[in-house]
Amino acid sequence: MNKVWSIFKYEFYKTVSRRSFILTLILVPLVPALILWVLNSLSASQSQALGEVFTGGAQQAFPYGVVDQSGLVKEMPDWIVGNSLVLISDETTARQQTLDGKLQGYYVVTADYLESGEVILYKEEINPLAGIEGTAIFEQLMQYNLLGGDMDLYLKYTQSPSIQMVEINPQTADARDTDNPLTFLVPYAITLFFYTIIFTSSSMLLTAISKEKENRVMEMLLSSVKPTQLFTGKLMGLGLANLLQMAIWFGAALLLLRLSGQTFAIPANLQIPAYVFLYGIVFFALGFAFYGSLMAGWGAMVPNLREGNQSTFVFSLPLLFTIISISTLINEPHGTLSTVLSILPPTAPVAMMTRLAIGGVPLWQVGVALALLVLSDLFLIRSVAKIFKSQYLLSGSAASINTFFKVLFQRQASG
Amino acid sequence: MQSIVVEHISKSFGDVQAVKDVSFEVAPGEIFGLLGPNGSGKTTSIRIILDIYEPDGGQVAILGGPMDESKKNLIGYLPEERGLYQDVTLEVCLQYLATLKGMSREEIDAKLPAYLEQFELSEYRKKKVKELSKGMQQKAQLIATLIHDPQVIIVDEPFSSLDPVNTQLVKDILKEQRAAGKTIMMSTHQMNQVEQLCDKIILIDHGNVLLYGGLQEIYERFATNQLLINTSQPLPEALPGVARIEQLNTMIKLTPEPGITPHDLLVTLVNQGIALNAFEIATPSLDEIFIQVVQGSNNGNGKKEIQHEQDA
């Protein structure tokens, strides 16, 4: 056990002290945090509309004129128009004031507005961005007057109805806001995050083992420790280092999502609850043990890293299938395919996290997925220990994926 | 008590039988030479002794019994395929390898500086291993082999990549370790080093034992009655009782006819009035014995030798 501990400590220290590890650990959350901070600062410091950034706020000091030929505009309440709009009696006066620079332009509500709905905006120069705010205020003014100048009615009209959702089956009901693109973005990001981190961190085991074979340090190690001690120590050391990385990245992502919620008004039901973070750690650890064991076993068999990398896509196929099924996972998170993918051990670490991020996963499904993953990991660790024999570790011969799986699923004769 | 007892070990890889029924013993305070041509089964035998490979048949006893976790810490091994972690500093690499031999951090800190000093590597301890020369890496690996004060030292080609000064350093260390009662097993192709260092040897080829015994005993077994002489006079083309005359670099080798002793030849030379600068009985070198035995084995004459040696 002491030697497993020594290998664990060495592998962990070697991984976390690597410059590339430290840089990616910091930069990956730092870059989006900086972007968010910049956007947040812009949002807080600028009360002017986006259009004003390009057109200049000074122009807003001059109002637009409203020439009403329809007789519909009975009132120009300050709480709508402010200094943005003024009522002008006729078009000639409005044109002159515009040319004199007293107005930015003027709207003409045509006499047959009720039939045609036609309003003409006259300006000295047409700038598509500059008209944005004035148009909105004019529209509000028209809506108010069309509603007979009734403020209460107008406010009811302009405010969206408060819809209270009642889930018939609270466990599976999809309460998502399907109009909000973030509804799909967040689980999509989580799927890709878990796919990437599980696959890249598992690949580190392949690299570590292959490099030891290439460095020819393997024989030195095997004269001191048993192959299974080497495998266990490496799996634990690299696993913890990657778990640390994953926890920091995932934690930072959730934190950023919360902070961005304050800035961009992300609906509450898009905020990922804290328990998903805890599930994330568990599913990552189990997923790493699953794919890390496979990669370590493959690394033990292949003569060098180059040959090892040529076939790793085979191990990534289940995860790739999850990515291919991402649309189904997100649109039908509780459908048959999504449920099966989130329970089967090769796809569960990614698919279940996608579903958990969406919410409403029955607890028994999470339990079954975890139990199957634990059993699969135990099987794989035992099976890969068979491959972690000196005969393979010291061999420079080429290996095939077929042989690998054959050995993996062979019944262990000698234990 | 013998430190290493190998009894009838065999090992096959697929259809290839790497080791066939090999047996030998190594005692404490002895340097044992494991010799053989390339691919003869030497490394496989070492790996079986170290419990890296499980033998198909036979057994190995190390320090009185089968290999276990604690005994691994009492063995120092320098493999033929040298290997160190390339991307870490020399100090970190050696510290790690020492911890895998059961050394505590305190023990390592107490012993490592002295070894680095002895092998003139102190100033490189903070350098990455990949920045060191091949010879330096070889010396570093020797430190990893010796730092935990092993009872059994197994070195495979210990002199490769070393300059004459460092070769002498390693030879001196091996002699010191022998004097300290350590058991040393050395595999090498450098027969001159074997002649200078080994007390006992085994020669294997194609997994078979061709020769096994004390070095002196083997020399005596392969001794001939040939003579080496040095003279400033030219020799006649034929000498009475001499079957063959060969001019070597500085010496002349005389092969007597059957029944003629070296003493008879000396008398003949003196009677011929030949002034001798040097006169010695030609002992075959280990190189010659090696070639003779291996070629004899390949010609089908080796089997008898094996059986004879194994019985002995």
Side-chain angles (χ1 to χ4, degrees):
Chain A
M1 190 60 199
N2 273 345
K3 290 186 178 176
V4 174
W5 177 243
S6 295
I7 297 165
F8 161 76
K9 276 198 302 186
Y10 177 76
E11 293 294 339
F12 179 76
Y13 167 77
K14 195 173 73 170
T15 307
V16 299
S17 60
R18 202 178 292 145
R19 195 180 299 163
S20 58
F21 182 90
I22 297 167
L23 277 177
T24 51
L25 186 72
I26 296 167
L27 288 180
V28 167
L30 189 65
V31 169
L34 280 173
I35 293 169
L36 183 68
W37 177 75
V38 170
L39 290 174
N40 202 15
S41 302
L42 279 174
S43 171
S45 63
Q46 295 179 345
S47 56
Q48 59 191 151
L50 188 62
E52 292 175 39
V53 175
F54 302 101
T55 58
Q59 288 187 18
Q60 292 301 319
F62 300 103
Y64 281 90
V66 177
V67 180
D68 180 27
Q69 296 173 346
S70 66
L72 290 168
V73 182
K74 301 270 196 277
E75 286 183 58
M76 296 274 286
D78 278 351
W79 55 270
I80 293 179
V81 300
N83 296 322
S84 299
L85 299 171
V86 288
L87 194 61
I88 307 290
S89 56
D90 58 82
E91 199 175 339
T92 311
T93 311
R95 178 182 290 270
Q96 189 56 54
Q97 287 188 10
T98 302
L99 291 172
D100 292 345
K102 292 175 182 168
L103 295 175
Q104 291 191 60
Y106 59 94
Y107 297 93
V108 176
V109 183
T110 55
D112 60 344
Y113 176 81
L114 281 178
E115 286 80 35
S116 67
E118 191 175 74
V119 175
I120 302 165
L121 172 62
Y122 293 93
K123 291 189 69 176
E124 250 191 325
E125 290 173 5
I126 300 295
N127 180 339
L129 286 172
I132 291 172
E133 183 153 312
T135 307
I137 294 170
F138 175 77
E139 284 168 5
Q140 290 166 17
L141 176 73
M142 290 303 295
Q143 286 162 359
Y144 174 77
N145 281 287
L146 285 168
L147 288 167
D150 184 333
M151 189 170 75
D152 290 338
L153 194 60
Y154 171 76
L155 291 175
K156 287 281 180 206
Y157 170 75
T158 53
Q159 283 175 4
S160 300
S162 170
I163 300 171
Q164 190 184 351
M165 291 194 188
V166 180
E167 299 167 11
I168 296 167
N169 179 352
Q171 281 202 315
T172 57
D174 191 350
R176 294 176 294 169
D177 176 5
T178 51
D179 292 333
N180 193 328
L182 282 170
T183 302
F184 302 100
L185 190 66
V186 171
Y188 193 89
I190 285 195
T191 310
L192 287 179
F193 176 80
F194 273 83
Y195 164 77
T196 310
I197 197 162
I198 287 175
F199 195 69
T200 52
S201 54
S202 306
S203 300
M204 286 175 75
L205 266 163
L206 170 69
T207 309
I209 306 287
S210 313
K211 274 198 166 179
E212 272 171 13
K213 289 184 81 172
E214 283 179 44
N215 285 345
R216 296 173 166 188
V217 77
M218 192 58 87
E219 191 163 3
M220 194 83 173
L221 297 176
L222 292 177
S223 71
S224 305
V225 299
K226 289 180 190 162
T228 44
Q229 291 176 318
L230 195 62
F231 170 52
T232 314
K234 280 184 180 299
L235 192 69
M236 285 165 56
L238 287 169
L240 186 69
N242 284 294
L243 187 66
L244 178 76
Q245 185 183 54
M246 175 267 166
I248 289 175
W249 284 357
F250 194 38
L254 296 187
L255 189 68
L256 285 174
L257 197 63
R258 280 178 189 274
L259 292 176
S260 62
Q262 291 167 10
T263 306
F264 300 117
I266 293 173
N269 61 356
L270 284 180
Q271 298 289 344
I272 297 173
Y275 72 83
V276 174
F277 177 74
L278 297 175
Y279 274 132
I281 288 175
V282 175
F283 274 101
F284 168 77
L286 294 173
F288 174 81
F290 188 96
Y291 284 97
S293 300
L294 286 173
M295 293 287 192
W298 181 234
M301 273 192 130
V302 291
N304 52 52
L305 182 59
R306 189 175 52 81
E307 286 198 27
N309 279 334
Q310 281 172 358
S311 302
T312 48
F313 80 94
V314 175
F315 304 111
S316 71
L317 285 177
L319 293 179
L320 278 175
F321 184 74
T322 315
I323 297 294
I324 293 166
S325 312
I326 195 165
S327 172
T328 312
L329 275 169
I330 292 171
N331 290 312
E332 298 168 38
H334 309 301
T336 308
L337 180 67
S338 302
T339 306
V340 170
L341 286 178
S342 64
I343 286 175
L344 286 177
T347 48
V350 174
M352 184 56 90
M353 284 313 299
T354 311
R355 291 184 66 208
L356 284 168
I358 294 167
V361 183
L363 204 58
W364 71 266
Q365 290 183 10
V366 181
V368 170
L370 286 173
L372 288 178
L373 253 176
V374 169
L375 290 174
S376 307
D377 287 353
L378 289 174
F379 166 78
L380 276 177
I381 289 169
R382 278 179 62 85
S383 300
V384 168
K386 286 187 297 186
I387 297 171
F388 243 72
K389 287 232 187 261
S390 314
Q391 192 170 328
Y392 295 115
L393 289 169
L394 296 177
S395 165
S397 311
S400 73
I401 283 284
N402 282 350
T403 315
F404 173 74
F405 281 110
K406 210 169 140 186
V407 177
L408 196 68
F409 290 105
Q410 252 172 12
R411 276 184 67 82
Q412 176 68 309
S414 55
Chain B
M1 187 187 72
Q2 301 290 321
S3 303
I4 304 173
V5 180
V6 175
E7 292 179 299
H8 307 290
I9 57 166
S10 58
K11 179 77 181 173
S12 296
F13 298 105
D15 297 332
V16 180
Q17 182 145 30
V19 176
K20 300 173 197 168
D21 195 27
V22 169
S23 300
F24 59 85
E25 293 180 354
V26 191
E30 191 171 79
I31 299 183
F32 181 81
L34 176 60
L35 315 178
N38 295 326
S40 58
K42 301 188 300 289
T43 301
T44 304
S45 299
I46 290 175
R47 287 173 178 173
I48 291 171
I49 292 167
L50 289 168
D51 198 32
I52 293 175
Y53 285 163
E54 202 178 326
D56 298 336
Q59 56 187 5
V60 175
I62 291 272
L63 299 168
M67 177 73 85
D68 59 30
E69 186 80 6
S70 60
K71 282 182 187 170
K72 285 197 171 187
N73 295 346
L74 301 175
I75 296 173
Y77 178 42
L78 178 75
E80 183 185 9
E81 289 201 337
R82 309 280 189 262
L84 293 169
Y85 288 99
Q86 298 293 307
D87 291 326
V88 295
T89 63
L90 175 64
E91 193 171 45
V92 168
C93 181
L94 291 176
Q95 282 169 345
Y96 175 55
L97 293 174
T99 58
L100 295 185
K101 285 293 183 188
M103 289 182 80
S104 67
R105 189 57 194 258
E106 292 72 30
E107 287 172 319
I108 296 167
D109 289 345
K111 292 180 82 173
L112 185 57
Y115 270 105
L116 288 170
E117 194 64 41
Q118 186 180 7
F119 282 91
E120 296 176 337
L121 289 172
S122 291
E123 60 183 299
Y124 303 101
R125 67 184 202 283
K126 295 291 180 194
K127 291 254 184 204
K128 284 194 174 176
V129 172
K130 65 183 175 189
E131 294 168 16
L132 304 181
S133 71
K134 206 174 171 187
M136 286 177 183
Q137 292 193 34
Q138 164 83 337
K139 289 196 284 182
Q141 197 133 17
L142 275 162
I143 295 175
T145 308
L146 299 170
I147 190 169
H148 55 290
D149 195 21
Q151 292 301 304
V152 175
I153 299 164
I154 298 176
V155 285
D156 203 347
E157 292 295 351
F159 308 108
S160 69
S161 307
L162 293 181
D163 59 37
V165 174
N166 284 309
T167 298
Q168 190 55 48
L169 173 69
V170 173
K171 278 161 68 177
D172 291 344
I173 287 171
L174 291 177
K175 285 176 185 169
E176 278 169 24
Q177 297 288 326
R178 173 172 57 188
K182 306 293 176 62
T183 305
I184 301 163
M185 190 167 146
M186 179 173 79
S187 173
T188 181
H189 287 120
Q190 297 184 28
M191 293 302 157
N192 59 326
Q193 307 296 3
V194 176
E195 285 173 327
Q196 289 175 36
L197 289 169
C198 290
D199 304 295
K200 201 159 84 177
I201 64 162
I202 188 168
L203 174 59
I204 58 175
D205 187 24
H206 294 104
N208 293 303
V209 177
L210 301 185
L211 197 61
Y212 172 50
L215 199 59
Q216 196 53 44
E217 176 200 334
I218 285 168
Y219 279 140
E220 285 167 12
R221 195 183 305 156
F222 284 84
T224 63
N225 53 359
Q226 289 176 319
L227 287 177
L228 289 175
I229 63 164
N230 180 275
T231 175
S232 39
Q233 288 176 236
L235 283 186
E237 285 197 4
L239 281 168
V242 176
R244 197 167 69 217
I245 301 172
E246 292 172 74
Q247 179 67 52
L248 304 180
N249 193 16
T250 57
M251 304 290 273
I252 299 165
K253 188 195 265 183
L254 304 179
T255 306
E257 289 172 348
I260 303 295
T261 65
H263 181 259
D264 296 338
L265 276 184
L266 178 61
V267 171
T268 303
L269 290 167
V270 171
N271 289 341
Q272 294 280 325
I274 297 166
L276 297 171
N277 300 325
F279 176 88
E280 62 183 90
I281 294 170
T283 307
S285 69
L286 204 52
D287 253 333
E288 289 168 322
I289 296 172
F290 184 100
I291 293 166
Q292 184 187 332
V293 172
V294 170
Q295 284 181 344
S297 159
N298 291 339
N299 294 335
N301 302 328
K303 292 286 177 190
K304 279 183 190 170
E305 194 73 40
I306 302 162
Q307 198 53 54
H308 169 73
E309 296 303 334
Q310 290 286 65
D311 291 345

